[in-house]
Amino acid sequence: IVKRFEFVHGSAYMTVLVSDPADGSLHVFMKGSFEKIRDVVDPQSLPGDYEAAARRHAAGGAYTLALAHSQLPAHFTAAQALSMARSQLEDGARLLGLCLFRNELKDDAGEALEDLRDAGCRVVMITGDSVDTGVAVARRCGMIRGTEAGAPVVLVGDLDGAAVSGGSGRVVWREARDAVGTAAVADGDGAAVVVDTELERMLDAGRRGYGRPVELAVTGKAFNALTAAGRMRGLLFETRVFARMSPEDKVACVRLHMEKAVTAMCGDGGNDAGALKAAHAGIALSEAESSVVSHFSSRNRRVGACVELLREARCSLDISFASYRFLVMYGEVLTFLGLVQYYFTVNMSQAMWILIDGSTVPLSWALTQARPPASGRLSRARPTARLLGPETVASVVLQILVNVSFLVGGVVLLFQNKYSDGFLFCSEFDGRQADVRRWWELADNYEGEVTGLLGAFQVVNAAFVANLSGARHRGAWFRNYALLGVWAAAFALLSLVLLTGPNPLTCAFRVNCGTAAALSRLGYDAGFAGVPDAYFSYAGHNVMPTWFRWRVWVLAVANLAAGCLVQSVGVLGFGRTLAKRWFPQKRLIYRT
């Protein structure tokens, strides 16, 4: 090889100058798109059916290249040839023939595209191949498909012949098949041409369901002409195939889609790098240079990687909002708990505060360990993305109402025992006699004990409720083993503190504990480690009767059950249906 003119998308072909080692003769070989080679070779070398044969092969799904050759005069030396311009070297080249490549569809391509459509995604093709090849592949993989109204009419937009030679740049629409519509007129090459007014009528009829659906395919030149004329935006969601697109054209096309919707781009070549970087989400299906600039890359070089990415993304978004709701509930539980305890001038023990805060971190982490559904197609409904949307607000507000109701119910349950036959008789805490600066002493009473336990249960149970998702974007709640493990451990610890009699654990939390004298008076063994020397209550203890402990525990379990019922039925069930009816979102309407 003496000299190489590399392939660039602007010219759509490459040229090499080679020397024959046998006799030293110099030859020029050219390879590129059949349209470009047609324009640069000697017209006399083109067979009469060149265009028809090339398009026939392209329409069959073959990647169609043209090859050309010329030989320099025998007296030319390599040094002379190197000084010649490219156009001089290529002058007089003759067509050698067509070179066909066929890249078969992968087995899961059609299924992956079907999954994306079921998920409400519009799938389009942006390719550097010819428009005929693009349309053929789109039909084979189901990207272009029929509906109840019939098989789609595919119209191909390209610049007319005058534009190629510097004319007006008018975009001409032709049917991609031989059938001629009633409003089509005959063009010079015998193809059917659809005028602009008829195009608009066909598109409108297809949208309304009065006629067959219409799918558009455009070449890179037509795309740029329509963009310059301000028409491409209106035709964007009618166009399924963008062909003969340069890397710059791909970037422009992606950015047009980004103006209207969240846009993902997948590609496997260096010429896709710009579009992959420009898109909201770029998925590189290779380890080439495109994977460096892309947001995501996949070793699985299949379109199914896009499905998995969407599945993971929706799961992540759903988990993010679940974590958000849990942390909101954490704050709300402590807020209303603080109001109730402020009313009685009581508090929780230091150990209880540490337990609540210490369990919040692992519970938050465990929530994020949920996985997407193990199988099944993607849901057409997307997870909410609005922090103050109806679903998020309803979930939080209803959980607050449930928790406040049960917290008040616990206070009522406690004060039913303040009469002469109850354990709270003469044991109510009088905050007027307390030094509130010594806040840790305000936990040694029944009021702080009961409200603190219920509040701790509510914080822990809020994570369990947030884990409920309806299995649309996350796996079933019982498959988040990390969350179930952390929640079960925290719930079991609180249950032990509540239900067991005086022991080192309960005394550490200032629950069901008291001084040695008070415990002995109640009939409990006070010989264990951790018995406090002083207890800041009138009776010297806050040991609840066994029957009352179980009532408080049942109340906490009922609180959890009510929260789960409200979330699964009221929010994720009919509540979601009502919200969609009462607060509809203005979504972009398009054909997937």
Side-chain angles (χ1 to χ4, degrees), residues 118-120 314 378-383 472-473 576 580 587:
D118 288 345
R314 289 186 172 184
L378 292 165
S379 171
R380 192 171 187 85
R382 306 162 195 169
R472 302 175 75 178
H473 309 295
R576 176 180 279 167
K580 288 183 177 180
R587 295 189 181 275

Side-chain angles (χ1 to χ4, degrees), residues 203-223:
L203 290 173
D204 184 66
R207 295 188 198 105
R208 298 173 180 269
Y210 299 149
R212 292 163 56 192
V214 178
E215 297 279 14
L216 302 183
V218 298
T219 64
K221 293 178 179 179
F223 171 80

Side-chain angles (χ1 to χ4, degrees), residues 406 409-410 413 450 453-454 457-458 461 491 494-495 498-499 544 546-563:
F406 278 88
L413 185 66
V450 172
L453 281 167
L454 287 175
F457 272 112
Q458 287 179 352
N461 292 339
F491 191 89
L494 285 172
S495 298
L498 169 61
L499 297 175
M544 296 178 285
T546 302
W547 62 268
F548 185 77
R549 299 176 208 163
W550 280 102
R551 287 190 180 182
V552 174
W553 187 83
V554 169
L555 191 67
V557 173
N559 192 166
L560 171 61

Side-chain angles (χ1 to χ4, degrees), residues 342-483:
Y342 179 80
Y343 176 79
F344 293 108
T345 320
V346 298
N347 209 326
M348 292 184 291
S349 67
Q350 298 178 62
M352 191 65 74
W353 278 109
I354 293 173
L355 174 62
I356 291 177
D357 289 342
S359 62
T360 300
V361 174
L363 285 170
S364 298
W365 166 82
L367 265 177
T368 65
Q369 301 308 297
R371 294 290 182 265
S375 60
R377 291 189 178 275
L378 292 165
S379 171
R380 192 171 187 85
R382 306 162 195 169
T384 181
R386 294 190 287 175
L387 289 175
L388 297 178
E391 182 174 323
T392 306
V393 172
S395 177
V396 170
V397 170
L398 291 177
Q399 293 297 325
I400 290 175
L401 293 176
V402 168
N403 288 338
V404 170
S405 299
F406 278 88
L407 183 61
V408 173
V411 173
V412 172
L413 185 66
L414 173 64
F415 276 87
Q416 286 178 344
N417 298 278
K418 73 175 184 176
Y419 303 105
S420 58
D421 58 344
F423 65 88
L424 193 61
F425 183 67
C426 292
S427 295
E428 291 183 56
F429 184 75
D430 187 358
R432 292 172 297 180
Q433 307 300 322
D435 184 356
V436 295
R437 293 173 299 178
R438 301 173 63 84
W439 61 268
W440 55 91
E441 298 177 358
L442 303 180
D444 298 345
N445 51 75
Y446 291 110
E447 294 89 341
E449 176 185 46
V450 172
T451 56
L453 281 167
L454 287 175
F457 272 112
Q458 287 179 352
V459 170
V460 172
N461 292 339
F464 188 95
V465 173
N467 188 47
L468 302 177
S469 66
R472 302 175 75 178
H473 309 295
R474 287 181 277 162
W477 63 269
F478 52 82
R479 294 191 180 278
N480 188 348
Y481 304 118
L483 187 280

